[in-house]
Amino acid sequence: MARPDWTWAYEGYEPAKERLREALCTLGNGYFATRGAAPETHAGESHYPGTYVAGCYNRLVSDVQGRDVENEDLVNLPNWLPLRYRLRPADTSPGPWLHPDHPSLVEHRQWLDLRGGTLSRRSVYEDAFGRRLTVEQDRLVHMGDPHLAALHTVFTAEGWSGELEVVAALDGDVRNRGVPRYRDLADRHLTAWETGTEHGSTVWLRCRTVESDIGIALAARTVAACGPGQNGGEHRAAPELLARGTRQTLLLPIAPGSPAVVDKTVALYTSRDPAIGSPLRAAVSAVGRAPAYPPLLASHHTAWSDLWQQARLEVPGEPGRILRLHLFHVLQTLSPHTAELDVGVPARGLHGEAYRGHVFWDELFVLPFLNLHLPEVSRALLDYRHRRLPAACRAARAAGRVGAMFPWQSADEGREETQQLHLNPNSGRWLPDHSHLQHHVGSAVAYNVWQYCQATGDTDYLYGNGAETLLQVARFWADSAEWDESLERYRIRGVMGPDEYHDAYPDAERPGLDDNTYTNVMAAWVLARAGDLCRDLPENRCRQLFEQVGADPAERERWEDISRRLHVPWHRGVISQFAGYGELAELDWDGYRARYGDIRRLDRILEAEGDTVNRYQASKQADVLMLGYIFSPRELASLFQGLGYELDDATWRDTVDYYAARTSHGSTLSSLVHALVLARVNRDDAWRHCEEALTGDVADLQGGTTEEGIHLGAMAGTLDLVQRGLTGLEIRDDALWLSPALVPQLSKFRVRLRFRRHWDVDLRLRTERLRIAVPDSGRPAVRVRLDGQTYVVEPGTSRWLELPDEV
Ligand code: BGC
């Protein structure tokens, strides 16, 4: 049994919580993932088996209230899990098919072993005659060979003997039905099923996605051993080929003391995979080569153990256990295999169908952590964006601008995939969706380019693909900024900030808001970094770059000017979320809380009442406060100073309090951002937000959303909250800058960083002291900046540093 701090367990079977558990018990390896559904179950109210390959999307057109609406979805692929069983006692007719919803279930426990990357369960069934069947099952999605998965099941009989009938299947008759809100939309993404059999015990299923025409192939081998001591010989399942699936039936002798063991091994390939002929041939031969379950499990454990070495974050107690689960899911979505793929950061992991598997700005919450552990993965994720830079430039051109306008929701080709209509489940109305106006996503991409290069020192990237991305985003902002004579400032108008409650002024005919502070300050930052980069670049590369992107080097002067004179609106002594925010009505927060209890989705509540959240000073999530999440207080003050505004500590604290009181936290990202921002200004309620961020998914705080997929940004963000937020870690001038902002409940932790050429810099925080150890690797010493002092830590040594008093 795995150690309790590395185990995530559920005792008992609760159908109402099953879908949530399936999402949280998903197993994956960066290439594909499968939800933790019981293999005996079908998609239905309590269950939703789902398998998703990273980047495997398909488009369908749906008729929504007489209008053609096109959506692109991460496709639910054929289900490889099915394994059904029933008792065939020697003295009577066969029993019913057993499954967790069957009344004869008397015991059930399910657990994830985070260290080993397996999902296990123990279910006991007992019928009216005292015949018991214990099912012990382990599952893996192989972390070493990303195309393999396996189910290992041990059946034990008590109080009866006879045969056990086991049916193993591949089920291609699946649809995208994981999100109730999408139920009116087209959901059949697969077509052209074919099935076959090879080498006796192997069956296969292939099909294609309807529009993207991706070939998908699965092959399965099911073998069983049973009889005394399980040496009673190997049983191979007789295959049956169906129109959209396969079935293999085994009749296994079973008796007390003589269990039956069934191993199902599966291989999954698509036509997008490199180094294969056909997905079918690849799948059949991979499953043929795959070793038996014990060695397969051993190599899977080795791959996980290597991965845990690279991503070490140790926090004691319950927060540490949750953080480990978060890290587990981040690594299952974005693993070293991701570095070989052309995929972005799916906002809901590979764990469900919410947001259709799309890629948003959430990578802003993910890459800062990955940069210091798996930089190759970060780089691949940046390349996903860089490959779609031409699409972003086309989108900007179509909007009459230069540079790159990255889409708010991105999927396969990098065009805008944001839905045109979304359903308010409270009112049943389909409403126009304007969130494509969140152009700030481009700044997140540029920010990640910069941070990745700072963390790794990868100047090849910075001067190559990174420079192209950064410059094109800068050009877009420069072209979006309009000079306003009366303000004597530049303005960016008609956009949406991160707070999705506000997409228009009340009663306005057109969507969009002016002078969103987050957008403007980030734009100023991007323009300033693009300027810095041009100064750093070798002159010929700089010239070449401008030629390549079709820009005039003289644009740089305008960038510089805009970066100093973008407008930031204020009201009543605090920074305004956007121009006019201070004139919006105040919401009766207490009244709404009293009436509705949970008001996280205030937008839906108000719309259902015939009102609109656009009328109120109410935010779904951090918007202005995002700036305090991204930038340290010192950096933020200097950014404002660069823009010609004074932002002193008192004004920032007032701003933090102002928005903290007007935010409903309708996004899991919001409590995360508040936790860090409040910790930095020493507010006591920082821990309350940390707790919310930690329990957001495990307790499904957003009420039914986690079962549709985890919130990857928030999960990775909690790791970053510890690693970067609580240490104040920044990497500048080749040094580690630390400025701890402690939350007493999280004041002890340890993290190992891969920093530039050092593989294992060990940072330990112990309430008032911080220890830094640098391995003896022949690399240069590490420079640390803390409280205005520079410390040099030589390789092979460690150093304790006292934290400044005010921490
Ligand atoms: C949030 C966005 C986020 C998206 C995907 C939305 O609820 O408001 O900020 O990017 O979810 O996670």
Side-chain angles (χ1 to χ4, degrees):
M1 176 63 82
R3 276 173 42 184
D5 51 342
W6 284 84
T7 304
W8 193 261
Y10 294 105
E11 301 292 342
Y13 175 68
E14 290 183 60
K17 295 197 176 148
E18 196 54 15
R19 278 181 170 230
L20 171 64
R21 293 176 182 181
E22 288 173 359
L24 292 169
C25 290
T26 296
L27 292 184
N29 56 25
Y31 171 78
F32 85 99
T34 295
R35 287 165 61 87
E40 305 89 308
T41 59
H42 299 284
E45 202 179 315
S46 320
H47 306 284
Y48 192 73
T51 288
Y52 311 95
V53 164
C56 182
Y57 295 102
N58 184 64
R59 280 173 211 283
L60 291 177
V61 177
S62 312
D63 175 351
V64 180
Q65 297 180 342
R67 193 170 145 184
D68 277 355
V69 172
E70 185 177 304
N71 283 305
E72 181 170 53
D73 285 85
L74 186 69
V75 178
N76 182 21
L77 297 182
N79 183 13
W80 63 270
L81 290 174
L83 193 89
R84 299 200 298 156
Y85 41 85
R86 61 175 170 171
L87 275 53
R88 284 177 165 272
D91 49 354
T92 170
S93 50
W97 293 105
L98 297 174
H99 50 81
D101 297 289
H102 195 274
S104 63
L105 183 80
V106 290
E107 265 180 62
H108 185 78
R109 179 170 198 268
Q110 169 176 330
W111 66 99
L112 280 173
D113 168 12
L114 304 176
R115 191 194 288 276
T118 50
L119 173 63
S120 300
R121 62 182 276 217
R122 184 173 188 279
S123 309
V124 182
Y125 300 91
E126 182 173 338
D127 68 11
F129 305 98
R131 289 185 282 241
R132 283 167 76 92
L133 180 75
T134 300
V135 182
E136 289 166 297
Q137 192 168 57
D138 296 326
R139 178 190 308 189
L140 63 83
V141 170
H142 207 280
M143 191 46 95
D145 183 333
H147 299 280
L148 292 182
L151 259 188
H152 169 74
T153 314
V154 180
F155 297 96
T156 313
E158 272 175 73
W160 67 285
S161 57
E163 280 181 332
L164 184 74
E165 182 175 351
V166 177
V167 177
L170 292 177
D171 179 11
D173 196 11
V174 298
R175 311 192 223 173
N176 275 47
R177 302 288 289 167
V179 180
R181 283 183 311 291
Y182 304 163
R183 68 179 160 253
D184 291 346
L185 306 173
D187 57 13
R188 285 219 173 261
H189 292 277
L190 299 177
T191 186
W193 297 266
E194 279 179 67
T195 54
T197 172
E198 262 326 286
H199 320 304
S201 60
T202 297
V203 286
W204 56 261
L205 160 68
R206 74 167 155 192
C207 54
R208 306 194 73 78
T209 54
V210 170
E211 193 271 347
S212 54
D213 203 23
I214 300 173
I216 295 141
L218 285 101
R221 182 187 72 198
T222 304
V223 292
C226 48
Q230 293 164 34
N231 294 324
E234 197 177 275
H235 292 245
R236 286 171 183 262
E240 201 183 330
L241 303 180
L242 313 169
R244 293 179 182 181
T246 65
R247 210 185 279 151
Q248 288 168 287
T249 303
L250 290 149
L251 286 176
L252 305 172
I254 188 167
S258 179
V261 181
V262 179
D263 284 338
K264 181 177 181 186
T265 311
V266 175
L268 166 59
Y269 279 81
T270 81
S271 54
R272 296 177 89 226
D273 294 327
I276 59 164
S278 81
L280 177 59
R281 207 169 336 123
V284 168
S285 80
V287 90
R289 278 194 315 269
Y293 187 77
L296 194 65
L297 178 66
S299 57
H300 174 64
H301 280 164
T302 307
W304 263 109
S305 144
D306 291 350
L307 199 51
W308 284 119
Q309 283 297 325
Q310 291 180 62
R312 282 180 72 167
L313 177 74
E314 290 163 26
V315 178
E318 187 58 7
R321 210 170 67 91
I322 299 177
L323 285 162
R324 192 165 283 135
L325 179 77
H326 287 184
L327 183 47
F328 179 70
H329 285 303
V330 170
L331 296 173
Q332 292 200 111
T333 312
L334 305 167
S335 80
H337 300 297
T338 313
E340 308 297 321
L341 307 173
D342 174 31
V343 299
V345 174
R348 305 302 285 273
L350 298 171
H351 297 57
E353 290 159 18
Y355 293 139
R356 308 191 160 83
H358 289 176
V359 176
F360 297 63
W361 72 321
D362 301 47
E363 62 207 53
L364 181 65
F365 301 87
V366 178
L367 264 67
F369 180 81
L370 287 182
N371 288 342
L372 291 163
H373 300 277
L374 296 166
E376 323 59 43
V377 177
S378 293
R379 186 174 163 145
L381 295 168
L382 294 174
D383 276 339
Y384 163 84
R385 292 297 194 174
H386 180 260
R387 284 189 204 100
R388 287 152 185 80
L389 191 55
C393 292
R394 284 196 295 276
R397 253 196 323 276
R401 318 243 180 99
V402 301
M405 183 169 89
F406 279 101
W408 173 238
Q409 294 189 28
S410 180
D412 59 4
E413 26 174 273
R415 72 179 210 194
E416 183 57 79
E417 302 292 352
T418 301
Q419 68 275 28
Q420 299 138 41
L421 298 173
H422 65 243
L423 178 71
N424 178 2
N426 298 20
S427 67
R429 277 189 284 269
W430 285 91
L431 306 161
D433 193 311
H434 301 300
S435 49
H436 65 273
L437 293 175
Q438 291 189 64
H439 300 320
H440 64 83
V441 56
S443 298
V445 176
Y447 175 83
N448 275 339
V449 165
W450 191 260
Q451 292 308 327
Y452 160 79
C453 295
Q454 291 291 316
T456 56
D458 187 348
T459 41
D460 286 350
Y461 194 80
L462 184 61
Y463 294 171
N465 292 355
E468 276 173 48
T469 308
L470 189 60
L471 256 61
Q472 292 289 34
V473 176
R475 295 182 74 219
F476 175 73
W477 286 134
D479 204 27
S480 302
E482 304 165 16
W483 178 249
D484 184 313
E485 204 52 58
S486 59
L487 288 173
E488 297 197 342
R489 287 220 164 236
Y490 289 97
R491 312 182 66 182
I492 296 176
R493 312 186 70 168
V495 297
M496 264 176 83
D499 165 28
E500 300 193 321
Y501 279 179
H502 290 277
D503 65 355
Y505 287 102
D507 305 320
E509 279 176 11
R510 286 167 44 150
L513 302 156
D514 301 334
D515 309 309
N516 173 254
T517 293
Y518 174 77
T519 304
N520 286 9
V521 173
M522 287 306 288
W525 183 89
V526 170
L527 289 161
R529 292 298 77 76
D532 290 350
L533 177 65
C534 292
R535 276 187 288 279
D536 276 6
L537 278 175
E539 215 179 293
N540 54 351
R541 173 63 185 135
C542 192
R543 208 174 323 111
Q544 187 193 31
L545 197 61
F546 274 82
E547 265 172 39
Q548 204 175 321
V549 302
D552 180 347
E555 282 184 26
R556 283 167 60 180
E557 280 163 39
R558 188 172 143 82
W559 299 354
E560 165 94 21
D561 189 40
I562 298 171
S563 76
R564 294 179 178 284
R565 293 207 277 170
L566 265 163
H567 179 49
V568 172
W570 302 74
H571 67 276
R572 296 197 280 286
V574 298
I575 304 167
S576 304
Q577 186 170 305
F578 50 80
Y581 184 89
E583 280 116 63
L584 299 179
E586 289 283 12
L587 185 89
D588 173 12
W589 290 89
D590 291 340
Y592 270 88
R593 282 200 180 101
R595 206 162 342 139
Y596 290 95
D598 183 349
I599 56 164
R600 284 189 174 86
R601 292 311 302 261
L602 192 57
D603 55 335
R604 292 178 177 167
I605 293 174
L606 288 167
E607 194 276 334
E609 287 182 347
D611 200 347
T612 164
V613 73
N614 270 325
R615 293 206 310 118
Y616 299 98
Q617 292 189 41
S619 304
K620 175 183 180 190
Q621 64 200 97
D623 194 301
V624 173
L625 300 195
M626 274 303 303
L627 295 171
Y629 178 82
I630 294 181
F631 301 112
S632 65
R634 185 197 45 75
E635 214 175 348
L636 189 58
S638 109
L639 262 167
F640 270 72
Q641 197 180 33
L643 283 163
Y645 299 104
E646 194 189 335
L647 179 63
D648 57 26
D649 287 352
T651 311
W652 178 245
R653 278 166 197 269
D654 289 348
T655 303
V656 170
D657 293 341
Y658 190 88
Y659 290 100
R662 289 168 178 76
T663 303
S664 77
H665 306 293
S667 159
T668 50
L669 298 172
S670 192
S671 41
L672 166 72
V673 173
H674 279 75
L676 200 156
V677 170
L678 290 166
R680 279 177 167 166
V681 295
N682 285 322
R683 288 282 189 259
D684 292 340
D685 46 353
W687 172 243
R688 185 170 59 79
H689 290 283
C690 285
E691 271 187 311
E692 280 230 358
L694 285 170
T695 52
D697 269 338
V698 296
D700 190 18
L701 294 184
Q702 299 283 337
T705 60
T706 301
E707 63 183 47
E708 301 167 351
I710 55 157
H711 297 85
L712 194 73
M715 280 198 173
T718 56
L719 308 172
D720 187 43
L721 170 73
V722 176
Q723 176 174 290
R724 184 180 63 91
L726 300 183
T727 57
L729 175 65
E730 288 174 84
I731 295 174
R732 287 192 288 133
D733 317 323
D734 221 359
L736 293 176
W737 291 58
L738 298 170
S739 167
L742 293 189
V743 172
Q745 294 83 345
L746 282 175
S747 60
K748 270 189 182 176
F749 57 85
R750 179 178 186 185
V751 54
R752 303 263 187 109
L753 307 174
R754 188 162 149 197
F755 159 61
R756 301 220 163 179
R757 289 190 293 143
H758 295 278
W759 272 72
D760 219 0
V761 174
D762 185 1
L763 208 65
R764 261 190 239 191
L765 210 105
R766 291 281 175 277
T767 318
E768 277 144 21
R769 297 195 310 157
L770 192 147
R771 178 182 178 270
I772 175 152
V774 177
D776 192 3
S777 58
R779 308 266 189 236
V782 168
R783 285 188 312 123
V784 182
R785 294 272 304 170
L786 177 71
D787 199 23
Q789 306 274 331
T790 302
Y791 304 89
V792 176
V793 189
E794 295 293 340
T797 69
S798 64
R799 217 170 155 155
W800 280 102
L801 308 176
E802 297 296 325
L803 300 187
D805 286 346
E806 70 270 20
V807 170

